mmCIF file of all heavy atoms in Angstrom:
data_model
loop_
_atom_site.group_PDB
_atom_site.id
_atom_site.type_symbol
_atom_site.label_atom_id
_atom_site.label_comp_id
_atom_site.label_asym_id
_atom_site.label_seq_id
_atom_site.Cartn_x
_atom_site.Cartn_y
_atom_site.Cartn_z
ATOM 1 N N VAL A 11 -114.966 -111.596 151.257
ATOM 2 C CA VAL A 11 -114.733 -112.695 152.176
ATOM 3 C C VAL A 11 -114.280 -112.109 153.529
ATOM 4 O O VAL A 11 -113.364 -111.264 153.514
ATOM 5 C CB VAL A 11 -113.630 -113.653 151.720
ATOM 6 C CG1 VAL A 11 -113.347 -114.734 152.797
ATOM 7 C CG2 VAL A 11 -114.018 -114.297 150.401
ATOM 8 N N MET A 13 -112.968 -112.983 157.272
ATOM 9 C CA MET A 13 -112.397 -114.060 158.050
ATOM 10 C C MET A 13 -111.981 -113.543 159.433
ATOM 11 O O MET A 13 -111.376 -112.467 159.513
ATOM 12 C CB MET A 13 -111.144 -114.611 157.332
ATOM 13 C CG MET A 13 -110.438 -115.744 158.115
ATOM 14 S SD MET A 13 -108.919 -116.184 157.244
ATOM 15 C CE MET A 13 -107.755 -115.617 158.495
ATOM 16 N N ASN A 17 -107.759 -117.309 168.623
ATOM 17 C CA ASN A 17 -106.913 -118.274 169.328
ATOM 18 C C ASN A 17 -105.844 -118.821 168.407
ATOM 19 O O ASN A 17 -105.208 -118.102 167.719
ATOM 20 C CB ASN A 17 -107.772 -119.321 169.984
ATOM 21 C CG ASN A 17 -108.861 -118.729 170.870
ATOM 22 O OD1 ASN A 17 -108.617 -117.740 171.599
ATOM 23 N ND2 ASN A 17 -110.068 -119.186 170.823
ATOM 24 N N ASP A 20 -105.251 -124.215 163.281
ATOM 25 C CA ASP A 20 -104.641 -125.548 163.045
ATOM 26 C C ASP A 20 -104.775 -125.931 161.591
ATOM 27 O O ASP A 20 -105.251 -125.151 160.751
ATOM 28 C CB ASP A 20 -105.223 -126.609 163.953
ATOM 29 C CG ASP A 20 -106.705 -126.781 163.778
ATOM 30 O OD1 ASP A 20 -107.264 -126.427 162.735
ATOM 31 O OD2 ASP A 20 -107.333 -127.328 164.710
ATOM 32 N N THR A 22 -106.815 -127.950 160.106
ATOM 33 C CA THR A 22 -108.215 -127.979 159.688
ATOM 34 C C THR A 22 -108.649 -126.569 159.349
ATOM 35 O O THR A 22 -109.328 -126.339 158.250
ATOM 36 C CB THR A 22 -109.121 -128.495 160.823
ATOM 37 O OG1 THR A 22 -108.677 -129.839 161.155
ATOM 38 C CG2 THR A 22 -110.574 -128.550 160.358
ATOM 39 N N LYS A 40 -113.649 -110.455 140.890
ATOM 40 C CA LYS A 40 -112.843 -109.652 141.849
ATOM 41 C C LYS A 40 -113.233 -110.094 143.232
ATOM 42 O O LYS A 40 -114.439 -110.256 143.578
ATOM 43 C CB LYS A 40 -113.112 -108.193 141.647
ATOM 44 C CG LYS A 40 -112.646 -107.609 140.331
ATOM 45 C CD LYS A 40 -112.982 -106.143 140.268
ATOM 46 C CE LYS A 40 -112.475 -105.560 138.960
ATOM 47 N NZ LYS A 40 -112.780 -104.129 138.906
ATOM 48 N N LEU A 64 -100.412 -119.867 150.887
ATOM 49 C CA LEU A 64 -101.647 -119.953 150.090
ATOM 50 C C LEU A 64 -101.281 -120.052 148.657
ATOM 51 O O LEU A 64 -100.632 -119.131 148.065
ATOM 52 C CB LEU A 64 -102.528 -118.696 150.327
ATOM 53 C CG LEU A 64 -102.978 -118.521 151.722
ATOM 54 C CD1 LEU A 64 -103.805 -117.225 151.835
ATOM 55 C CD2 LEU A 64 -103.780 -119.695 152.236
ATOM 56 N N ARG A 71 -107.204 -112.340 141.116
ATOM 57 C CA ARG A 71 -108.510 -111.812 141.270
ATOM 58 C C ARG A 71 -108.744 -111.184 142.690
ATOM 59 O O ARG A 71 -109.678 -110.495 142.914
ATOM 60 C CB ARG A 71 -109.522 -112.937 141.083
ATOM 61 C CG ARG A 71 -109.672 -113.363 139.617
ATOM 62 C CD ARG A 71 -110.744 -114.414 139.497
ATOM 63 N NE ARG A 71 -110.839 -114.827 138.122
ATOM 64 C CZ ARG A 71 -111.758 -115.689 137.679
ATOM 65 N NH1 ARG A 71 -112.629 -116.207 138.517
ATOM 66 N NH2 ARG A 71 -111.780 -116.046 136.438
ATOM 67 N N VAL A 72 -107.853 -111.510 143.636
ATOM 68 C CA VAL A 72 -107.977 -110.914 144.972
ATOM 69 C C VAL A 72 -107.320 -109.506 144.855
ATOM 70 O O VAL A 72 -106.183 -109.339 144.627
ATOM 71 C CB VAL A 72 -107.164 -111.735 146.047
ATOM 72 C CG1 VAL A 72 -107.278 -111.087 147.385
ATOM 73 C CG2 VAL A 72 -107.720 -113.158 146.102
ATOM 74 N N TRP A 83 -98.618 -109.802 164.991
ATOM 75 C CA TRP A 83 -99.003 -110.820 164.029
ATOM 76 C C TRP A 83 -98.914 -110.335 162.598
ATOM 77 O O TRP A 83 -99.081 -111.091 161.607
ATOM 78 C CB TRP A 83 -100.406 -111.324 164.315
ATOM 79 C CG TRP A 83 -100.463 -111.933 165.661
ATOM 80 C CD1 TRP A 83 -101.091 -111.457 166.757
ATOM 81 C CD2 TRP A 83 -99.794 -113.127 166.104
ATOM 82 N NE1 TRP A 83 -100.875 -112.246 167.840
ATOM 83 C CE2 TRP A 83 -100.058 -113.310 167.445
ATOM 84 C CE3 TRP A 83 -98.889 -114.038 165.431
ATOM 85 C CZ2 TRP A 83 -99.516 -114.347 168.180
ATOM 86 C CZ3 TRP A 83 -98.421 -115.123 166.190
ATOM 87 C CH2 TRP A 83 -98.715 -115.258 167.534
ATOM 88 N N LYS A 84 -98.649 -109.029 162.389
ATOM 89 C CA LYS A 84 -98.640 -108.465 161.057
ATOM 90 C C LYS A 84 -97.577 -109.199 160.196
ATOM 91 O O LYS A 84 -97.861 -109.611 159.065
ATOM 92 C CB LYS A 84 -98.310 -106.970 161.141
ATOM 93 C CG LYS A 84 -98.126 -106.331 159.825
ATOM 94 C CD LYS A 84 -97.792 -104.854 159.974
ATOM 95 C CE LYS A 84 -97.668 -104.165 158.647
ATOM 96 N NZ LYS A 84 -97.289 -102.756 158.851
ATOM 97 N N GLU A 89 -96.348 -112.901 155.680
ATOM 98 C CA GLU A 89 -95.705 -114.039 155.046
ATOM 99 C C GLU A 89 -96.665 -114.985 154.401
ATOM 100 O O GLU A 89 -96.445 -115.506 153.239
ATOM 101 C CB GLU A 89 -94.884 -114.886 156.091
ATOM 102 C CG GLU A 89 -93.660 -114.169 156.585
ATOM 103 C CD GLU A 89 -92.924 -114.979 157.659
ATOM 104 O OE1 GLU A 89 -93.115 -116.160 157.748
ATOM 105 O OE2 GLU A 89 -92.193 -114.332 158.396
ATOM 106 N N ILE A 92 -97.811 -113.525 150.958
ATOM 107 C CA ILE A 92 -96.793 -113.271 149.925
ATOM 108 C C ILE A 92 -97.311 -113.590 148.523
ATOM 109 O O ILE A 92 -96.969 -112.861 147.587
ATOM 110 C CB ILE A 92 -95.467 -113.946 150.225
ATOM 111 C CG1 ILE A 92 -94.800 -113.074 151.376
ATOM 112 C CG2 ILE A 92 -94.587 -114.031 149.063
ATOM 113 C CD1 ILE A 92 -93.488 -113.687 151.879
ATOM 114 N N THR A 97 -101.729 -107.697 144.970
ATOM 115 C CA THR A 97 -102.869 -107.291 145.734
ATOM 116 C C THR A 97 -102.545 -106.160 146.650
ATOM 117 O O THR A 97 -101.420 -106.096 147.217
ATOM 118 C CB THR A 97 -103.394 -108.515 146.581
ATOM 119 O OG1 THR A 97 -103.672 -109.623 145.741
ATOM 120 C CG2 THR A 97 -104.595 -108.167 147.385
ATOM 121 N N PHE A 101 -102.640 -102.908 156.532
ATOM 122 C CA PHE A 101 -102.765 -103.321 157.872
ATOM 123 C C PHE A 101 -103.471 -102.263 158.712
ATOM 124 O O PHE A 101 -103.238 -101.109 158.528
ATOM 125 C CB PHE A 101 -101.341 -103.561 158.493
ATOM 126 C CG PHE A 101 -101.376 -104.130 159.854
ATOM 127 C CD1 PHE A 101 -101.592 -105.491 160.087
ATOM 128 C CD2 PHE A 101 -101.153 -103.321 160.948
ATOM 129 C CE1 PHE A 101 -101.659 -106.019 161.361
ATOM 130 C CE2 PHE A 101 -101.196 -103.826 162.260
ATOM 131 C CZ PHE A 101 -101.438 -105.158 162.467
ATOM 132 N N PRO A 104 -106.489 -103.147 165.800
ATOM 133 C CA PRO A 104 -107.823 -103.649 166.235
ATOM 134 C C PRO A 104 -108.842 -102.534 166.462
ATOM 135 O O PRO A 104 -110.062 -102.782 166.220
ATOM 136 C CB PRO A 104 -107.485 -104.354 167.555
ATOM 137 C CG PRO A 104 -106.057 -104.747 167.469
ATOM 138 C CD PRO A 104 -105.433 -103.640 166.687
ATOM 139 N N LYS A 107 -111.225 -101.498 163.027
ATOM 140 C CA LYS A 107 -111.975 -102.522 162.299
ATOM 141 C C LYS A 107 -112.914 -101.887 161.270
ATOM 142 O O LYS A 107 -113.015 -102.352 160.146
ATOM 143 C CB LYS A 107 -112.806 -103.397 163.272
ATOM 144 C CG LYS A 107 -112.061 -104.309 164.097
ATOM 145 C CD LYS A 107 -113.016 -105.078 165.000
ATOM 146 C CE LYS A 107 -112.275 -105.760 166.146
ATOM 147 N NZ LYS A 107 -113.222 -106.467 167.033
ATOM 148 N N ALA A 110 -111.141 -100.441 158.365
ATOM 149 C CA ALA A 110 -110.648 -101.542 157.512
ATOM 150 C C ALA A 110 -111.700 -102.082 156.586
ATOM 151 O O ALA A 110 -111.501 -102.277 155.376
ATOM 152 C CB ALA A 110 -110.070 -102.700 158.389
ATOM 153 N N GLU A 112 -114.435 -100.455 155.710
ATOM 154 C CA GLU A 112 -114.720 -99.378 154.708
ATOM 155 C C GLU A 112 -113.709 -99.352 153.561
ATOM 156 O O GLU A 112 -114.044 -99.252 152.387
ATOM 157 C CB GLU A 112 -114.776 -98.010 155.383
ATOM 158 C CG GLU A 112 -115.954 -97.785 156.253
ATOM 159 C CD GLU A 112 -115.888 -96.452 156.993
ATOM 160 O OE1 GLU A 112 -115.193 -95.551 156.549
ATOM 161 O OE2 GLU A 112 -116.473 -96.403 158.107
ATOM 162 N N TRP A 113 -112.418 -99.423 153.953
ATOM 163 C CA TRP A 113 -111.359 -99.391 152.930
ATOM 164 C C TRP A 113 -111.479 -100.570 151.981
ATOM 165 O O TRP A 113 -111.362 -100.403 150.772
ATOM 166 C CB TRP A 113 -110.005 -99.452 153.657
ATOM 167 C CG TRP A 113 -108.849 -99.467 152.664
ATOM 168 C CD1 TRP A 113 -108.294 -98.477 152.005
ATOM 169 C CD2 TRP A 113 -108.183 -100.727 152.289
ATOM 170 N NE1 TRP A 113 -107.274 -98.976 151.154
ATOM 171 C CE2 TRP A 113 -107.223 -100.322 151.304
ATOM 172 C CE3 TRP A 113 -108.290 -102.068 152.640
ATOM 173 C CZ2 TRP A 113 -106.319 -101.229 150.757
ATOM 174 C CZ3 TRP A 113 -107.481 -102.974 152.043
ATOM 175 C CH2 TRP A 113 -106.464 -102.607 151.125
ATOM 176 N N MET A 114 -111.706 -101.772 152.515
ATOM 177 C CA MET A 114 -111.859 -102.928 151.653
ATOM 178 C C MET A 114 -113.014 -102.870 150.693
ATOM 179 O O MET A 114 -112.921 -103.244 149.569
ATOM 180 C CB MET A 114 -111.972 -104.195 152.588
ATOM 181 C CG MET A 114 -112.022 -105.503 151.783
ATOM 182 S SD MET A 114 -112.768 -106.871 152.643
ATOM 183 C CE MET A 114 -114.453 -106.353 152.857
ATOM 184 N N LYS A 116 -114.532 -100.064 149.657
ATOM 185 C CA LYS A 116 -114.595 -98.869 148.793
ATOM 186 C C LYS A 116 -114.078 -99.212 147.388
ATOM 187 O O LYS A 116 -113.005 -99.841 147.213
ATOM 188 C CB LYS A 116 -113.669 -97.792 149.375
ATOM 189 C CG LYS A 116 -113.771 -96.459 148.655
ATOM 190 C CD LYS A 116 -112.764 -95.446 149.076
ATOM 191 C CE LYS A 116 -112.883 -95.141 150.525
ATOM 192 N NZ LYS A 116 -111.924 -94.101 150.937
#
Side-chain angles (χ1 to χ4, degrees):
V11 176
M13 179 186 114
N17 305 318
D20 61 20
T22 302
K40 293 181 180 180
L64 300 178
R71 291 184 179 184
V72 179
W83 300 110
K84 179 180 178 181
E89 288 176 23
I92 284 175
T97 303
F101 184 79
K107 288 180 195 180
E112 286 175 28
W113 175 82
M114 182 200 67
K116 187 188 300 184

